[in-house]
Amino acid sequence: MKRSVRTVSWSAGLGSLLVAVVIVSAGLGSVWIEPQIVAKAILNAIVIPAGVEIERAAVPLVGGSIPFPDPTYASVFSFDIATTDQVIVETLRLPRIALAATVGFALAAAGTVMQGFFRNPLADPSIIGVSSGAAAGAVAAIAFPALIPFGGLHFAAFVGALGTAFLVYAIATDGGRTPVATLLLAGIAVQAFLGAAISYMLVYSGDDLREATVWMMGHLQNSSWGDVGFALPVTLVGVLILGGFTREMNVLLLGEEDAQHLGVNVERTKLLLLALASIVTAAGVAVAGVIGFVGLVVPHIMRLLVGPDHRILLPTSTLAGGSFLVATDTIARLDSVSLPLGIEFGMPVVPVGIVTAALGAPFFLFLLTRREVHSV
Amino acid sequence: MTDSEDAASGPIAVERVDLSFGDVSVLENVSLTIESGEFVGLVGPNGAGKTTLLRAISGALEPDTGRVTIDDVDIHDVSSRASSRLVSVVPQDTSLSFSFSVRDVVEMGRYPHRSRFSPPTQADRDAIDRALERTRTEALADRPIDEISGGQRQRVVLARAVAQETPALLLDEPTGSLDINHQIETLELVRELVESGRAVCAAIHDLDLAARYCDRLVMLADGGVRRTGSPADVLSADTLSDVFDSNAAVTENPVTGTETVTALPATESSARDDGEAAGSEPSIPPETPDRVHILGSGSAATGVLARLHNAGVRTSLGPIPSGDIAAETARRLERDRIEVPPFDSVSESDIAAFEAAVTASDAVVLADVTVSSGNQLLLEKLPAGTPLVVVETRPFEDRHFAGDEARRLYDECCSRAREADSAGVLEAVSWAVAKHDESIDPEKEDTGSTNSTTGTARTN
């Protein structure tokens, strides 16, 4: 089969799976909502900019007012469903599901890029310290709010993540070249150092210990459309640009010198891939904390299914990562499930990172024993 | 000889290149030009700078001084994309451990010709098809690269370089990890690419192969060009012993008329060279025998075969595994040979053929005989009176795979054989036959090859 046909059919299949997972997930909870009603509620929630009204805002101190544009939105669909169902889906469940999908996209895409980049099956999105940096930033913001005067938790985590990635890159770069092995080792060293810093801050965090710990375990509770509004655009733009470099990723698998002989500007491409993967990871980690195994396991599974060609691997991994995290977060968030036919049961609410690791690690071990994972 | 003062004229021109890693100077004042349609081999001992020179030409390493141009473009002044349209590289290590299809790997060769978002053009597809066809890898196109053999993989990497459609092609030890059949196959392919107008430069470890396929050789040693010129010029025994620190026998390869090189351990070789001239034997060579059977393999047997063939001696060879360089040489020379499939033991019929060949010959040469259980059977069949010559280039322990009985048998053969190196084998065989004839019948008949005691008056 032609590769482009395979890419489109796999992507369409995984896209459909994602839609199905989202609809089922949005229906599950203490109140069961029928899939067709969920679908209508989701469609009802879609708005497009309808126009711009000019409002005037008072300017303090100076007096008077200046005009500023205020866009208005219009619903595209207006299906007639119960208001409670609409509210449950649109404001209670959907933000969290959308954020889970976004973070899943981000981690799986970044994991795919990092594994190819390092030609190392154990590489994951945070291999150069992005997650440690985010955790350090977040814990600092939680434990010492006075030190982080503006921007809040997400901002601190995002800056910490990118700052760490940049630091590791700078340490590993010498004379315009960045050897991958040095990058890997510098990442490990910086992560160890940040681990010490985080532990130190936790010791002195007092009452904030629980909040910091929950953050670090990975969490999607209290998600808002604002989180999605930050993470989704960053992720989508990052993944789309990465999608333009899939041929370079393939050629880099041959080794850097081969890649150069085939015309790839190796150092520039490495910097670009590393920067984009780090930004995308940072966006995900900043809003959801450190969620393990998504970025490690999902690219591996997809590689076994579709092969190592990044032109098909990157889009399919991204979509599969979204489905995986929505599904695991659904398990994590449910305190009770009520299904049709009067089936009801309760379950503990846990941070999503526990579920991804608890499901991902055994599955990964299963893969290791069943399929020989020699290389990326 | 290409002098460093030569103006750059060929598609590949290396001009006074110095290159060092830190304080260690690797290339010193290296200059060479390679024309379109010319195949230049880089030869020299390990650490001579062959790979470094190739990397400097490909643009992977920037020289400290001097410059490298391809089609008059300074390769270090342009982007890697631009340079990869000028020069393609077949690397030494071609272990690709991920399951891209062969076609996908070859398609990577089109990378420098494609723009980022456009799908492959018809020209790209044509180039890929041509490259697959040229390297005879079409049948493999849909196979995963990690599931084909090493020789096939080498051809695929060559196909990738062909698809790059560059005027210059560099190969680093293209035959290093291949068996002899695949070495020849690969170099034949490279030769075809040369004929189609590419300028090709390859680091080749095997001097015989380099002499056979290259138009010109560049001998590197200690980072400098020691000698450039035709294989005959470069592979003189003097140059070789100078550069490789050992004595070497250079003979003309009977297959192609190019040079065959047998390197010998320095001390042993010089002792024998002297011994041959000033030994106990009269220095006038006796008549050469008519027919000689050779048991053995590898470069030793090839050297013996080449020597005897050049002297007009009829030879037969074997049993020998197919694909061995000596078997290949005998095949090309259309000599009699008893071939057995590699790793197979000798059969009853092989032994019978061996006995017939020995009976028909004036003498038998044991050239680096592998002492295996199969060859033990052959040694047992050697008639006690057969004139024997032993040529040994590899230590006995490297060739000994059978028990003590086989060892005893081999030692016994050696004790009644003359020792020689492949350069002196003709004289040794002649003397062995002459001594043998003396002891039986001083009169010689001229009746061809049917009797083991006959010999002709053909001289060297």
Side-chain angles (χ1 to χ4, degrees), chain B residues 27-148:
Chain B
L27 295 177
E28 281 172 23
N29 196 22
V30 172
S31 296
L32 73 113
T33 57
I34 301 168
E35 306 292 332
S36 293
E38 189 182 33
F39 186 1
V40 169
L42 296 181
V43 295
N46 292 333
K50 301 190 293 283
T51 299
T52 306
L53 178 55
L54 285 179
R55 294 178 72 197
I57 298 174
S58 76
L61 289 176
E62 186 140 11
D64 303 333
T65 59
R67 61 181 207 143
V68 176
T69 61
I70 294 175
D71 269 358
D72 295 327
V73 176
D74 188 329
I75 206 77
H76 297 99
D77 272 359
V78 296
S79 68
S80 45
R81 189 177 164 87
S83 71
S84 65
R85 289 180 189 165
L86 293 170
V87 55
S88 50
V89 179
V90 175
Q92 188 167 11
D93 177 19
T94 57
S95 60
L96 303 167
S97 57
F98 40 87
S99 52
F100 279 100
S101 76
V102 164
R103 180 179 288 275
D104 283 344
V105 172
V106 176
E107 190 193 323
M108 290 182 191
R110 296 304 296 170
Y111 178 85
H113 299 277
R114 291 177 57 185
S115 61
R116 182 166 304 285
F117 293 106
S118 63
T121 62
Q122 192 58 45
D124 290 325
R125 278 192 288 271
D126 290 348
I128 294 164
D129 287 339
R130 270 199 305 276
L132 288 168
E133 188 190 317
R134 248 200 147 138
T135 54
R136 297 184 263 294
T137 46
E138 312 105 303
L140 305 172
D142 296 318
R143 297 267 301 280
I145 187 82
D146 56 349
E147 289 177 17
I148 61 177

Side-chain angles (χ1 to χ4, degrees), chain B residues 2 10-14 30-43 50 53-54 57 169-174 187 190-191 194 198-204 209-211 213-220 225 227-231 234:
Chain B
T2 305
I12 301 178
V14 179
V30 172
S31 296
L32 73 113
T33 57
I34 301 168
E35 306 292 332
S36 293
E38 189 182 33
F39 186 1
V40 169
L42 296 181
V43 295
K50 301 190 293 283
L53 178 55
L54 285 179
I57 298 174
L169 169 65
L170 308 177
L171 305 101
D172 191 2
E173 298 287 355
L187 288 173
V190 173
R191 194 66 235 180
V194 173
R198 280 177 173 79
V200 178
C201 184
I204 300 183
L209 288 174
Y213 286 99
C214 296
D215 300 310
R216 211 146 53 81
L217 295 183
V218 173
M219 172 72 75
L220 286 177
V225 174
R227 204 152 179 173
T228 78
S230 70
V234 173

Side-chain angles (χ1 to χ4, degrees), chain A residues 327-349:
Chain A
T328 46
D329 183 54
T330 306
I331 297 169
R333 77 177 153 88
L334 292 181
D335 54 354
S336 65
V337 182
S338 75
L339 292 171
L341 309 171
I343 303 166
E344 282 196 36
F345 53 90
M347 46 201 289
V349 174

